[in-house]
Amino acid sequence: MTRLTLKRRLVLGIAALLTAMTVVIGVVSVLALHGFLMNRLDAQLAAATNRSQGAYDKPARDPDDNGAKPPPEQFLALSGQPEGTLGAIIGPGAVFSPGVLDSDGSVIPIRSGRLNLLLAVAKNGTPSTIDLGEKLGQYRVVVQPSVAGGDALAIGLPLKDVQDTVARLAILIAGIGLAGVVSGVVAGVVIVRRALRPLERVAATATRVSELPLDRGDVALAVRVPDADADPATEVGAVGSALNRMLEHVASALESRQASENKVRAFVADASHELRTPLASIRGYSELTRRGNHALPDDVIHAMGRIESESVRMTSLVEDLLLLARLDEGNRIDAIEVDLGQLVVDAVGDAEVAGPTHQWSVQVPDEVLLIQADPGRLHQVIANLLTNARTHTPAGTLVSARLGVVGNEITIEVRDDGPGIDEALVPTIFERFVRGDSSRSRARGSTGLGLAIVSAVVEAHGGRVEVRSVPGDTVFRVILPTRSD
């Protein structure tokens, strides 16, 4: 089910309110007019009944008529009787002398099977409504007993004029109401759009903030809601003001985080730089002692060898930390024209020498593929990926490197058919000091910085690195732009 936006809910609410008001006003108006016209018709009917009753009761009958009913002209064709007046004499179980007054004052006798409905009308002078068929329509009728007793006189007035007037009013109100609802909805759409425009600007500000890379680097969070949309006196302004306060808090936190990171990076860079000299001295003296023709005990010779190997490992770690610190500081790379095909072939050749128990494969295009890059750093990227594949896969694993071009991008893929990477590790695989198997990695001399260096160097070249891994197929893909900005 699709949820309606606030704008649509407000417009629909306005439309529903206008429709309800129009219906209520229309119904009340129609009922009021109908009641007024019916009261006026009943008054006219009472006057017509009085006139006809006087004429009916007037002693003008022939004594020798033997009780014959008077003709309708006697009680209908009177001065002041409106056109269409219905008259009849209600006798015991029958209706006599029915007629309708014509426009020229003559009385037209009528015959209708529904005239018997007059027999059911109460003979107490109370108006009633009866339907005398399609030709005559509905009538408002009063049956008044004769003063002399016996027969009763029925007088009726047509409801057609009342019904036509009420129908015309209903149609008029419906048309005006529909036009009013449509106009109100159009005006409501315009008003709602203008009223919600500040809220849209607040949402746009929040969207721009959400698109900023706030996870790393020196972030200048200068996006704010405009002052015109941050007035706490209004509902939307209260939201904008609250968002600005939140952004101020986030900006302050980011500045504190960045300051802390800068201190750590400066410390790492300084420490790495300062450690290079003593590590070189330790390595040099241990190597000098090992190569000297001195009669030393075997345990001392073994200890000096261990000192030399550990100094080499620590020197590599210090160099990696120093490289990451320099890249974090945004130092530019020394870009020259590099033949990527030759670079990949050389890196695979070095890896094959270092890992003879693995199977190695390389695929590069026939044409020369040149790119502006730092050859030493790109060689380190490819070497780290190949080393990572060799270190974390068993002997006999096939490791292949492939260089290709897709559109405006160059791809370098390193693929192996080893056991794969733990699914939980993939999202953090390029973070620093992350190891797939801590104990095994340390045993093989891994520092957990190889893939972090790969990511940092590739990003310094304006590219990105991706990984996809399932058991039996692990692919690291380096994507570089064909042109550097």
Side-chain angles (χ1 to χ4, degrees):
M1 179 179 179
T2 303
R3 294 184 178 180
L4 296 177
T5 61
L6 177 60
K7 183 184 299 182
R8 291 183 178 179
R9 289 201 299 270
L10 290 174
V11 171
L12 289 177
I14 292 173
L17 180 61
L18 290 176
T19 302
M21 291 178 61
T22 301
V23 170
V24 171
I25 293 174
V27 170
V28 171
S29 300
V30 169
L31 291 178
L33 178 63
H34 182 269
F36 170 76
L37 294 178
M38 289 297 290
N39 290 335
R40 190 175 69 173
L41 184 64
D42 288 345
Q44 294 174 353
L45 180 59
T49 301
N50 291 333
R51 287 191 293 268
S52 296
Q53 187 72 40
Y56 176 73
D57 291 334
K58 186 177 181 181
R61 304 182 191 178
D62 187 346
D64 298 328
D65 60 2
N66 297 320
K69 308 300 182 185
E73 287 82 358
Q74 179 178 333
F75 52 82
L76 281 181
L78 305 173
S79 176
Q81 296 290 66
E83 178 187 354
T85 303
L86 169 69
I89 298 173
I90 309 299
V95 179
F96 303 98
S97 303
V100 174
L101 187 63
D102 199 2
S103 59
D104 58 0
S106 62
V107 177
I108 303 175
I110 59 173
R111 294 178 181 179
S112 174
R114 295 196 176 188
L115 286 173
N116 290 331
L117 294 174
L118 294 172
L119 300 175
V121 178
K123 299 179 178 61
N124 57 5
T126 302
S128 299
T129 300
I130 62 174
D131 189 354
L132 296 179
E134 182 178 352
K135 186 176 181 180
L136 294 176
Q138 291 185 334
Y139 266 75
R140 191 72 169 170
V141 178
V142 167
V143 177
Q144 190 72 36
S146 173
V147 176
D151 297 336
L153 181 64
I155 300 297
L157 293 177
L159 287 171
K160 186 176 184 304
D161 290 342
V162 173
Q163 293 171 341
D164 290 346
T165 302
V166 172
R168 286 195 296 271
L169 177 64
I171 294 174
L172 181 63
I173 291 177
I176 296 176
L178 180 60
V181 170
V182 172
S183 302
V185 170
V186 173
V189 170
V190 175
I191 293 173
V192 169
R193 283 182 177 176
R194 291 184 177 180
L196 294 183
R197 198 165 294 164
L199 186 60
E200 293 175 353
R201 291 194 291 267
V202 172
T205 301
T207 301
R208 289 197 301 272
V209 172
S210 68
E211 294 172 351
L212 295 176
L214 304 179
D215 57 332
R216 56 183 174 175
D218 190 3
V219 179
L221 189 56
V223 180
R224 294 293 185 276
V225 177
D227 293 338
D229 300 329
D231 184 5
T234 64
E235 290 80 358
V236 176
V239 175
S241 178
L243 181 60
N244 279 345
R245 290 196 301 272
M246 183 187 70
L247 292 177
E248 292 288 348
H249 178 70
V250 172
S252 177
L254 290 175
E255 290 176 358
S256 298
R257 186 265 296 170
Q258 187 61 34
S260 177
E261 287 187 1
N262 290 339
K263 291 179 181 179
V264 172
R265 289 170 183 167
F267 169 76
V268 171
D270 294 342
S272 300
H273 183 75
E274 294 299 328
L275 287 174
R276 295 172 71 184
T277 300
L279 284 174
S281 299
I282 293 172
R283 179 181 177 183
Y285 280 115
S286 60
E287 184 178 356
L288 179 63
T289 303
R290 180 176 57 82
R291 290 182 179 183
N293 295 323
H294 305 288
L296 299 175
D298 292 340
D299 57 345
V300 175
I301 296 175
H302 175 72
M304 296 304 297
R306 291 298 300 152
I307 291 173
E308 183 181 355
S309 63
E310 286 302 307
S311 65
V312 171
R313 191 176 73 85
M314 290 183 65
T315 300
S316 176
L317 174 60
V318 168
E319 293 293 340
D320 289 344
L321 289 174
L322 186 58
L323 171 61
L324 288 173
R326 289 173 176 172
L327 292 175
D328 288 339
E329 292 176 355
N331 292 343
R332 298 180 60 86
I333 58 174
D334 299 326
I336 61 174
E337 193 173 67
V338 179
D339 183 355
L340 278 182
Q342 187 62 46
L343 200 68
V344 172
V345 171
D346 292 343
V348 174
D350 296 341
E352 188 173 6
V353 174
T357 60
H358 284 63
Q359 302 179 42
W360 301 92
S361 172
V362 61
Q363 180 182 353
V364 297
D366 294 334
E367 64 275 8
V368 177
L369 190 56
L370 300 176
I371 187 176
Q372 292 291 324
D374 186 328
R377 297 308 176 202
L378 280 189
H379 184 278
Q380 186 177 12
V381 166
I382 303 171
N384 282 3
L385 292 177
L386 294 171
T387 301
N388 182 75
R390 172 176 57 84
T391 303
H392 299 291
T393 58
T397 299
L398 174 62
V399 181
S400 61
R402 186 175 69 88
L403 175 65
V405 179
V406 179
N408 295 327
E409 296 177 329
I410 298 173
T411 61
I412 304 173
E413 289 186 356
V414 175
R415 182 188 301 265
D416 68 73
D417 58 1
I421 303 172
D422 185 2
E423 183 178 356
L425 188 64
V426 172
T428 59
I429 193 69
F430 295 107
E431 295 182 4
R432 299 171 189 184
F433 302 107
V434 174
R435 301 181 178 90
D437 185 338
S438 298
S439 60
R440 181 183 63 180
S441 298
R442 287 192 179 95
R444 301 188 180 186
S446 173
T447 62
L449 295 176
L451 294 180
I453 291 176
V454 168
S455 177
V457 172
V458 171
E459 289 182 3
H461 283 80
R464 63 187 186 277
V465 60
E466 302 172 350
V467 61
R468 178 181 59 83
S469 180
V470 295
D473 185 27
T474 298
V475 181
F476 284 87
R477 181 179 293 107
V478 174
I479 303 173
L480 298 170
T482 54
R483 297 178 182 178
S484 58
D485 295 333

